[in-house]
Amino acid sequence: MPDSQIAIALYAGALALGVLCLGLLVLSLRRMLGRHEEVVTTMLQRYDRRLAEFAQTLNDALNQTLPARIVAAISGAPLETSASVEAPDHSNVVRVLELAREQTSADAAVAIVGTKQEPILATVGLSQSEVAQVGGLGVPDYRGARAIQVSFNGDDARPGDHSGTGPIRAGLAIPLLDSTTEPGMLAVLTRTPDRRFSEIDITSLENVLSVTRPTLETSLELRESDPVPERDPLTDLYDRPAFHALLDREIGRARGRREHLALLMLDVDRLTTINARIGHLAADGVLATIARVLNDVAGPRDLPCRIGGGCFGVLLSQADSRDAERLYEQLQAALRERPLPEIGVVSFSGGVAELLSNDDATALIVRADAALALAKSSGRDMVVTAAKRPARDVA
């Protein structure tokens, strides 16, 4: 073979080898980049999951009901009250104070409201001398603020006060009523020298009032029940104000007709995680779907309502706690048969309370909420029923 042909063959072989090496290099780079992309995607997914889990944990911690309140409500033990009330006996005001003090781990609580009839000063956890001291402050000018912190002179010991628990050191006050014409204050007080109230305490007080304010205003004759129940625009269920108006109406009917009445409180499990995973807009679609399922399984006399966020309430007239438990089971089964895109099966926690002879609207809600909180803290996706005392008493 001539030398020129050998050289051409060698050049061709070298060129082919170079092309092969280049192809292998490109393939290697593509695989490396693909692997890098896969690693980044996996890390981002893990980060999203951990962020959602953190958000859910934080949300659960902020909304956790105090164990003492849960135990008292579920066990059926009556609440211990230590209150001095100047003006008429408004038990709903005292009940709000009890809740406010427990939810913020405070030593005392006070409510002041100037009603159309006569001013009301109600306290729990204060001596007579301290009532005069705190009551003399009057209602603060909030000037648009959510809350006001107040400091007291700890050396201002009152003669005859032998409580031995120390003087009042500080307080946290928020507006008691929505009414602009009726000044009011709800305040919690502490005897601990170093105690500073936090944003969580403010939120806790606002949560207490969000549940109790409608009944409180009605009991003080500051508002009338809404005669035309309004609908929630997202779910087309009765909205929060309608829920309270309907509850007052149904309690009155149950009393007059000596019939049973049950309340089922529902809360979507891990709603914060769902929001973090699919976004608030998509999560609103999930809530709308859940509301349709709830409306489908509810009976003709049942009144499903959306109280806020992922929290729903169902009033079951002429029904007891067992009927409410059955409704929960029907909703649970219906949702398991209808897994939703991206999130699968949505679960609920439920709390049930049956109207008792000494219940008002606030007491019924508190017992159902306490049962719901116990269901959430016990693992979710279950229903808990508050104790009945005495059994099947609706007189």
Side-chain angles (χ1 to χ4, degrees):
M1 179 181 293
D3 292 340
S4 60
Q5 291 181 346
I6 294 175
I8 292 173
L10 290 174
Y11 285 136
L15 181 60
L17 182 60
V19 172
L20 178 61
C21 291
L22 182 61
L24 292 174
L25 177 62
V26 172
L27 181 61
S28 177
L29 288 174
R30 291 184 62 182
R31 288 184 176 179
M32 183 174 64
L33 292 175
R35 175 60 179 169
H36 178 71
E37 182 180 355
E38 181 182 351
V39 170
V40 172
T41 301
T42 301
M43 291 178 63
L44 288 175
Q45 289 175 345
R46 290 178 180 176
Y47 173 77
D48 287 341
R49 286 197 299 268
R50 290 178 179 177
L51 182 61
E53 290 172 358
F54 171 76
Q56 183 65 51
T57 301
L58 180 61
N59 182 73
D60 290 346
L62 291 176
N63 291 282
Q64 183 177 6
T65 304
L66 289 178
R69 188 69 194 174
I70 295 175
V71 171
I74 300 302
S75 64
L79 294 175
E80 296 181 1
T81 59
S82 173
S84 70
V85 180
E86 298 179 2
D89 179 18
H90 293 283
S91 60
N92 286 328
V93 179
V94 176
R95 193 179 303 278
V96 171
L97 296 181
E98 294 280 356
L99 290 173
R101 181 171 64 164
E102 290 184 320
Q103 292 286 355
T104 58
S105 300
D107 297 307
V110 59
I112 301 176
V113 57
T115 67
K116 296 181 177 67
Q117 292 77 23
E118 55 182 311
I120 294 176
L121 168 64
T123 70
V124 293
L126 294 179
S127 66
Q128 291 298 323
S129 60
E130 289 171 333
V131 169
Q133 177 188 7
V134 175
L137 297 176
V139 178
D141 184 0
Y142 299 98
R143 297 183 182 273
R146 291 173 59 202
I148 293 178
Q149 297 226 32
V150 181
S151 297
F152 294 87
N153 183 0
D155 297 328
D156 187 16
R158 298 282 175 166
D161 184 6
H162 304 293
S163 61
T165 55
I168 295 296
R169 300 284 185 169
L172 175 69
I174 67 172
L176 180 64
L177 303 172
D178 285 330
S179 173
T180 58
T181 61
E182 301 290 349
M185 174 187 76
L186 171 64
V188 288
L189 309 169
T190 180
R191 304 181 190 277
T192 305
D194 300 329
R195 171 73 186 272
R196 294 294 181 270
F197 291 100
S198 66
E199 179 72 18
I200 295 178
D201 295 315
I202 297 175
T203 302
S204 296
L205 288 181
E206 291 175 338
N207 288 340
V208 168
L209 284 183
S210 70
V211 173
T212 59
R213 181 177 279 147
T215 301
L216 182 62
E217 290 179 340
T218 299
S219 69
L220 297 176
E221 298 180 357
L222 301 180
R223 70 192 296 268
E224 297 294 335
S225 297
D226 188 356
V228 181
E230 297 292 338
R231 296 279 181 174
D232 173 62
L234 175 63
T235 62
D236 199 36
L237 301 179
Y238 293 122
D239 62 11
R240 187 190 192 108
F243 166 75
H244 291 288
L246 291 170
L247 178 58
D248 289 336
R249 186 193 72 184
E250 292 303 310
I251 288 177
R253 288 181 177 178
R255 298 276 190 234
R257 301 172 182 176
R258 300 184 62 83
E259 295 174 344
H260 289 287
L261 175 67
L263 171 60
L264 171 62
M265 299 292 285
L266 299 163
D267 192 60
V268 180
D269 292 333
R270 298 181 176 86
L271 180 59
T272 303
T273 301
I274 294 174
N275 285 331
R277 185 183 304 173
I278 65 176
H280 286 275
L281 186 60
D284 283 347
V286 171
L287 292 177
T289 301
I290 292 171
R292 286 195 295 270
V293 176
L294 175 58
N295 206 41
D296 289 342
V297 299
R301 290 192 301 269
D302 301 337
L303 299 171
C305 309
R306 185 193 180 201
I307 299 175
C311 185
F312 299 83
V314 184
L315 299 171
L316 294 89
S317 59
Q318 303 178 36
D320 58 18
S321 57
R322 291 168 295 185
D323 297 313
E325 291 169 359
R326 281 192 287 268
L327 177 59
Y328 172 86
E329 292 168 358
Q330 292 170 2
L331 175 62
Q332 188 183 51
L335 289 175
R336 286 177 177 171
E337 294 176 356
R338 296 179 60 176
L340 301 177
E342 297 187 60
I343 58 175
V345 175
V346 178
S347 67
F348 266 97
S349 296
V352 173
E354 186 176 332
L355 183 66
L356 304 180
S357 60
N358 58 341
D359 276 347
D360 55 14
T362 300
L364 186 61
I365 292 174
V366 166
R367 292 194 302 111
D369 270 338
L372 173 60
L374 185 57
K376 300 283 281 189
S377 63
S378 300
R380 301 183 176 90
D381 196 18
M382 65 176 66
V383 63
V384 173
T385 300
K388 295 183 287 186
R389 55 178 201 280
R392 305 188 64 81
D393 182 2
V394 297

